[in-house]
Amino acid sequence: MTLQDREIIYRIQTLKAKWGPELMILGHHYQRHGIIQIADKIGDSFGLAKAAAESPHVKHIVFCGVRFMAESAAILCRDDQRVLHPEPEAGCPMADMAPMDSVQFAWDNLNARSDLGGRCLIPVTYMNSHAPLKGFTGANGGLVCTSSNAEKALEWAFSKGEIAFFFPDQHLGRNTGKAMGLTPEEMPVWYPSKPNGGLESLEGVKMILWNGNCPVHMKFKVRDIHFVKKNFPGSFVAVHPECEQDVVDAADAVGSTEFLAKYVRSLPEGSRVFVGTEVNMVERLRIENPKIKVELLFRSLCPTMYMVDLQKVERTLINLETEDPVPMPSEIKDPARLALERMLALQN
Ligand code: SF4
């Protein structure tokens, strides 16, 4: 960390002290080290949004992450809370792969098909999606899921309708479907650029996967795991379920960011583990677990997460009362919240 970073951290701590319990800074696991140092809570996007909404004294929520995360906090927050995003331009390439006009076109196309045969489509949307898609999901009887509860969400969807429509990460959908016993034929991909999404028949289909992916997790390849297993016998490999199916199949463990952190902590002292997720999180796991050899499976940085920096957080804190909060109109917030509440009900 540079001297300039340390000076900004000092100034941020002074600003934080001024606001006391009315301010909460949230830092996603994939944020850089300096941001994690000034965050009040560190975690995954849903856990952070929920924690802020449930904190009775918090009025100003500063979300250090990408836009869909700040939007999720704005969906869940109370009316007396405002959510600020230090870099509104920091989006998520995967969320961008499911724009609402393409989703609506696919939905209308599928519902008009004769081979749907009266079966009901249920939308299931990963947390890593734009707020309007979450709203669409809630308005059409579906729910949101995280990488921890995707299987529970799909079980719920299958109990409500015959075909789940999973947005936007095809890999999380496919990995979860496979773990539930679905075959590749039962979970084809909808390609927005192809006529009829490229789906010739819906016969035997149980889940339709949207053609989205996380470019950060697509960088991990099965050859990286073969290399590690050959050259570091006895080592472990743990990856995120946004990785491709062959990567997930070859790994020793797969799970959400929270799972990966717990998995590394649970390993015997002296173990060597290669972790396949965003580089900032892996490097922090290395610092937090000095008795474990934590290695990068491959160096993969999320460039939009990296757009949030200490200078932007300081500017947001200086302008805390005047900076525009993340916009969340009620026509999106209400159905999106419904989709999130359906997910929350699964956990109770
Ligand atoms: S890591 Fe992937 S899913 Fe997460 S913000 Fe970056 S691009 Fe989006």
Side-chain angles (χ1 to χ4, degrees):
M1 191 175 300
T2 64
L3 177 62
Q4 192 199 12
D5 283 345
R6 286 204 290 274
E7 286 171 355
I8 300 174
I9 287 175
Y10 177 77
R11 293 200 298 269
I12 288 177
Q13 300 294 14
T14 307
L15 287 161
K16 281 179 70 175
K18 177 185 152 201
W19 288 100
E22 284 189 17
L23 167 67
M24 184 177 272
I25 301 182
L26 305 174
H28 187 268
H29 284 303
Y30 295 167
Q31 288 289 291
R32 61 177 90 195
H33 187 56
I35 296 288
I36 294 300
Q37 285 214 309
I38 51 97
D40 297 300
K41 286 208 181 295
I42 302 153
D44 61 29
S45 57
F46 179 67
L48 290 173
K50 188 164 172 281
E54 289 174 352
S55 298
H57 303 297
V58 172
K59 301 272 186 286
H60 308 282
I61 301 163
V62 176
F63 207 125
C64 299
V66 293
R67 194 183 314 120
F68 78 77
M69 298 177 177
E71 285 178 347
S72 299
I75 291 165
L76 282 182
C77 74
R78 304 186 307 267
D79 290 345
D80 64 331
Q81 293 179 313
R82 329 167 58 235
V83 179
L84 298 154
H85 188 201
E87 176 46 276
E89 294 296 312
C92 163
M94 178 161 77
D96 292 345
M97 290 176 197
M100 264 327 294
D101 53 349
S102 299
V103 168
Q104 189 67 56
F105 178 83
W107 185 256
D108 295 343
N109 177 293
L110 286 164
N111 277 298
R113 281 174 70 146
S114 57
D115 57 349
L116 191 61
R119 288 174 291 169
C120 175
L121 281 174
I122 296 284
V124 179
T125 297
Y126 187 25
M127 198 71 194
N128 303 18
S129 57
H130 293 310
L133 180 50
K134 291 188 179 82
F136 168 89
T137 300
N140 286 285
L143 86 178
V144 172
C145 74
T146 66
S147 51
S148 312
N149 64 21
E151 186 164 335
K152 267 191 179 175
L154 283 174
E155 275 168 10
W156 179 91
F158 292 140
S159 75
K160 300 279 169 201
E162 289 86 352
I163 303 181
F165 200 174
F166 193 91
F167 306 95
D169 185 14
Q170 61 167 298
H171 301 295
L172 176 64
R174 184 177 296 111
N175 289 323
T176 310
K178 187 178 179 202
M180 296 171 77
L182 268 61
T183 64
E185 296 72 32
E186 287 173 328
M187 42 181 181
V189 177
W190 173 276
Y191 294 96
S193 57
K194 294 188 182 177
N196 291 322
L199 294 184
E200 282 178 17
S201 166
L202 295 177
E203 185 91 17
V205 168
K206 298 208 169 129
M207 169 162 60
I208 299 168
L209 304 169
W210 190 261
N211 183 31
N213 62 68
C214 164
V216 174
H217 288 94
M218 291 291 284
K219 296 235 174 78
F220 304 106
K221 298 295 173 193
V222 75
R223 64 173 176 269
D224 301 327
I225 300 183
H226 292 157
F227 176 86
V228 159
K229 291 290 181 183
K230 185 172 168 211
N231 291 287
F232 301 95
S235 62
F236 301 94
V237 176
V239 301
H240 194 278
E242 290 169 21
C243 293
E244 291 172 279
Q245 191 178 297
D246 59 349
V247 172
V248 165
D249 290 349
D252 298 299
V254 56
S256 64
T257 49
E258 299 289 334
F259 168 86
L260 292 173
K262 275 193 205 134
Y263 178 79
V264 170
R265 278 199 296 274
S266 75
L267 291 172
E269 209 174 299
S271 303
R272 186 188 290 268
V273 59
F274 291 81
V275 183
T277 196
E278 211 270 350
V279 57
N280 281 291
M281 174 160 175
V282 183
E283 287 185 341
R284 201 156 48 257
L285 287 176
R286 182 185 291 150
I287 295 166
E288 289 167 1
N289 297 277
K291 293 188 176 157
I292 312 281
K293 296 187 189 85
V294 181
E295 313 264 9
L296 297 166
L297 184 57
F298 182 84
R299 188 179 183 82
S300 188
L301 178 127
C302 179
T304 50
M305 282 279 185
Y306 203 68
M307 288 168 73
V308 178
D309 62 23
L310 286 167
Q311 285 93 338
K312 290 168 187 168
V313 175
E314 183 185 22
R315 185 204 60 211
T316 300
L317 296 188
I318 290 168
N319 301 316
L320 201 59
E321 287 180 300
T322 53
E323 201 157 294
D324 286 339
V326 173
M328 192 50 59
S330 60
E331 61 270 26
I332 292 175
K333 178 168 177 153
D334 295 346
R337 200 182 172 108
L338 184 61
L340 284 163
E341 283 168 356
R342 287 188 185 124
M343 175 183 83
L344 277 171
L346 293 181
Q347 291 168 329
N348 298 331

